[in-house]
Amino acid sequence: MEIKKNDNKYIYVIVGKNIRRIRKEKGLTQVQLAELIGYDSGTISNIENNSYQTFSLEFIYVISKKLNVPMSEFFIEE
């Protein structure tokens, strides 16, 4: 399902893309990131591929702390 920019769920697309970008910049696989933050690797995969459109700010907060990046990095639209 394609989500357009004017859709309220578009923020999940942006966050998912940024999670993937940051994860790769840190040299981590989806499995490694999942283990680091205590989530299932399938969840990471679904978020990065826009198949999972409900996650909390707490989820982003945990990733930001574990990867040592500001939360704002996850909301950058490129």
Side-chain angles (χ1 to χ4, degrees):
M1 176 175 89
E2 184 178 333
I3 299 172
K4 307 230 186 285
K5 281 189 170 190
N6 62 349
D7 189 314
N8 289 342
K9 295 189 180 215
Y10 186 67
I11 189 65
Y12 294 101
V13 173
I14 294 168
V15 172
K17 286 179 180 180
N18 285 314
I19 289 172
R20 175 184 288 131
R21 175 183 58 81
I22 294 165
R23 174 182 60 77
K24 287 183 174 186
E25 287 173 358
K26 299 287 183 174
L28 297 171
T29 66
Q30 289 178 342
V31 171
Q32 290 170 323
L33 176 59
E35 289 173 354
L36 182 66
I37 65 171
Y39 279 78
D40 182 78
S41 61
T43 299
I44 303 301
S45 175
N46 287 336
I47 289 170
E48 288 185 358
N49 294 308
N50 307 321
S51 300
Y52 194 89
Q53 296 175 2
T54 55
F55 50 86
S56 66
L57 284 174
E58 180 183 5
F59 175 80
I60 299 167
Y61 178 77
V62 168
I63 293 176
S64 75
K65 290 299 176 196
K66 294 290 184 176
L67 297 182
N68 196 32
V69 296
M71 282 183 66
S72 60
E73 278 292 308
F74 295 97
F75 297 96
I76 295 172
E77 190 172 3
E78 296 182 347

